Amino acid sequence: MGKPRPGLPPGPYLVVGLARSGVAAALALGRLGAEVTGVDAGSKDDARLAADAGRLREAGVEVRLDASGVDLAARARTLIKSPGVPQDAPVLGAARARGATLLGELELAWRLVRNEFIAVTGTNGKTTTTEWIGHVHREAGRPVAVAGNVGTAASSLVGSLAADVTVVCEASSFQLEDTLAFSPEAAVLLNLSPDHLDRHPSYEDYVAAKLRVFVNQGNDDVAVAPAALPVEDLGGCARRVLFGSGPGPELSERAGHLWWDEEPILRVEEIGLPGAHNRENAMATAAVCLARGLGAEAVAAGLRTFAGVRHRLERVAVRSGVAWVNDSKATNVASTAVALRAFPAGIHLIAGGRGKQQDFSPLAPLVAERCRAVYLIGEAAGELTAALEPAGVPLRQAADREHAVALARAAAREGEVVLLSPACASFDQYPDFEARGEHFRALVEQA
């Protein structure tokens, strides 16, 4: 079992946003016998939303669609906010004005699921590292559940876990900014670079949201972070465990090995996933697992055998000697830069989607060095064109993903790579990056 949690603030409850997290939160509260209303601005004509609304109503949850929820705020003492709902949504303002408590779905889950939590955050690598930590626990014979922003809403675990199960939870900045008392037994920060500046007022606000993963931790908790992180104070009171190169960090890479407690645990070349970014992910994984008492042999085995996750540098197929790679999870510039560095020259890059007020220009040198062509789609195509023109490679405008895949298929030659790595959010054309990646996979498999 995890440490004691504060109880839930009183109902009635209003759950705002009925995507995956909101539905799970409303169902969890409904099963507790609470008075719950769910609201979403989405249309009744949305098949997924309509189906979820039916499930909620069957569970005794009142549902309002095509609604802002402002008129419902007066009925609620506590508002549960889905991470996709922006902070300036009118319903949040109405709730604050009347003194209602605002709670994020992640904190709701943490208060109701009394198991030990490992929370993983950072700009890039969260999904891979979260799944990797889960894999190492399974290698060590430890019961584990993987949840959060990775795909399974944490609230869906309420009432389903034995006391000895560890919850490994991916936590986004949107989720963390809505926390009040959230205090995981272990927290991991992988890295920081500008992202989601369309939602956060500034980079400083984005960093502050990420650091909320540490602020409530106590002396018996573990806080894992890169040794080179440009942040002086992580906050909180947890035991600090650093990872990085050289002799200083507790988990270090040196002399071709990963070291812990001055003992080598495996050779770097044995790490199951390729690339410098995955060495960082592996070090973070090893650091938190070893700090929590998992055996070095099991950790080393887990680092060797992990096969990666869908939509993150996922090789979908090889057709006529051309590798097709799905990196739909790359929703920011830093993540796409990592993807470009993962392959030698000869990349046909498919990029674009909804921009997040990012500066795309850092991609230009990598595009110049490694890309044969770039195929641009979505709302940010114009911004990407302006940023990548200095690279001097062909920039092809594509009306949609079908067109981009067709252009890349016609141009790519044996030994080259067609890489979907958008550097943008998916929401101009898809409900999430998973749907975008699955569409890409289906288009490749049609060949």
Side-chain angles (χ1 to χ4, degrees):
M1 289 290 288
K3 57 191 170 188
R5 317 283 210 247
L8 289 185
Y13 299 94
L14 176 63
V15 178
V16 181
L18 297 178
R20 184 163 41 203
S21 295
V23 169
L27 288 172
L29 289 167
R31 293 188 191 106
L32 295 176
E35 182 181 342
V36 189
T37 301
V39 64
D40 195 288
S43 170
K44 301 180 181 71
D45 297 329
D46 182 318
R48 192 279 306 166
L49 190 56
D52 283 338
R55 291 172 56 211
L56 291 170
R57 291 184 177 112
E58 288 176 3
V61 176
E62 180 183 348
V63 178
R64 298 278 192 90
L65 303 181
D66 284 320
S68 70
V70 171
D71 60 321
L72 301 172
R75 294 166 44 184
R77 296 180 66 187
T78 298
L79 186 147
I80 307 298
K81 177 181 169 300
S82 295
V85 177
Q87 293 290 344
D88 59 359
V91 63
L92 303 188
R96 292 186 183 105
R98 63 179 307 276
T101 301
L102 270 64
L103 207 64
E105 181 270 337
L106 174 60
E107 175 135 352
L108 173 76
W110 174 75
R111 293 192 187 198
L112 293 176
V113 179
R114 301 304 178 98
N115 299 63
E116 291 193 4
F117 266 63
I118 302 174
V120 181
T121 194
T123 304
N124 294 303
K126 296 186 296 298
T127 300
T128 296
T129 305
T130 300
E131 293 284 4
W132 212 336
I133 294 168
H135 176 75
V136 171
H137 276 71
R138 288 186 285 271
E139 286 283 342
R142 300 283 189 93
V144 67
V146 177
N149 199 48
V150 71
T152 300
S155 293
S156 67
L157 302 178
V158 175
S160 68
L161 301 181
D164 61 345
V165 175
T166 297
V167 177
V168 187
C169 182
E170 178 182 343
S172 72
S173 61
F174 296 169
Q175 292 171 310
L176 290 168
E177 72 177 354
D178 294 326
T179 57
L180 299 178
F182 181 62
S183 175
E185 282 75 13
V188 181
L189 175 62
L190 297 169
N191 44 58
L192 288 170
S193 60
D195 195 14
H196 296 304
L197 300 186
D198 55 334
R199 269 280 299 268
H200 297 288
S202 67
Y203 178 58
E204 290 72 24
D205 289 293
Y206 170 70
V207 171
K210 290 293 192 184
L211 294 180
R212 288 201 59 78
V213 77
F214 299 121
V215 295
N216 296 315
Q217 286 189 296
N219 294 331
D220 295 329
D221 299 325
V222 174
V224 175
L229 190 75
V231 174
E232 291 186 8
D233 183 14
L234 297 180
C237 302
R239 168 193 171 195
R240 300 289 189 261
V241 177
L242 303 181
F243 64 90
S245 301
E250 286 84 350
L251 193 292
S252 63
E253 176 193 350
R254 62 185 194 270
H257 288 73
L258 298 189
W259 295 72
W260 174 259
D261 195 23
E262 296 306 312
E263 294 289 337
I265 59 172
L266 86 165
R267 299 190 307 275
V268 170
E269 65 192 36
E270 296 179 76
I271 295 172
L273 299 182
H277 63 294
N278 279 319
R279 287 202 300 275
E280 298 287 326
N281 296 337
M283 283 192 281
T285 296
V288 72
C289 291
L290 291 164
R292 297 187 70 253
L294 274 67
E297 289 186 7
V299 171
L303 296 185
R304 291 187 189 101
T305 57
F306 183 58
V309 298
R310 290 170 72 87
H311 309 299
R312 190 66 181 109
L313 290 174
E314 175 194 15
R315 183 168 293 210
V316 173
V318 177
R319 298 278 189 271
S320 302
V322 176
W324 293 78
V325 178
N326 169 21
D327 194 41
S328 183
K329 185 70 169 64
T331 61
N332 57 61
V333 168
S335 193
T336 294
V338 165
L340 291 171
R341 292 189 186 101
F343 302 99
I347 298 171
H348 294 257
L349 174 65
I350 301 175
R354 175 164 294 172
K356 299 189 284 186
Q357 297 185 14
Q358 304 177 87
D359 177 10
F360 293 112
S361 61
L363 293 175
L366 281 167
V367 168
E369 176 185 331
R370 306 203 175 203
C371 291
R372 275 199 58 213
V374 181
Y375 310 89
L376 299 171
I377 60 176
E379 293 176 1
E383 293 176 66
L384 280 159
T385 297
L388 299 182
E389 278 181 340
V393 304
L395 305 177
R396 307 289 301 277
Q397 303 297 317
D400 49 33
R401 202 147 325 263
E402 290 91 339
H403 189 204
V405 166
L407 290 171
R409 182 178 288 122
R413 298 292 178 261
E414 184 176 356
E416 296 180 340
V417 175
V418 178
L419 171 66
L420 170 67
S421 190
C424 294
S426 61
F427 303 128
D428 57 339
Q429 295 177 318
Y430 300 92
D432 49 42
F433 73 83
E434 291 103 330
R436 177 170 63 186
E438 292 301 332
H439 187 206
F440 176 75
R441 173 196 295 276
L443 292 171
V444 172
E445 291 175 349
Q446 288 172 11

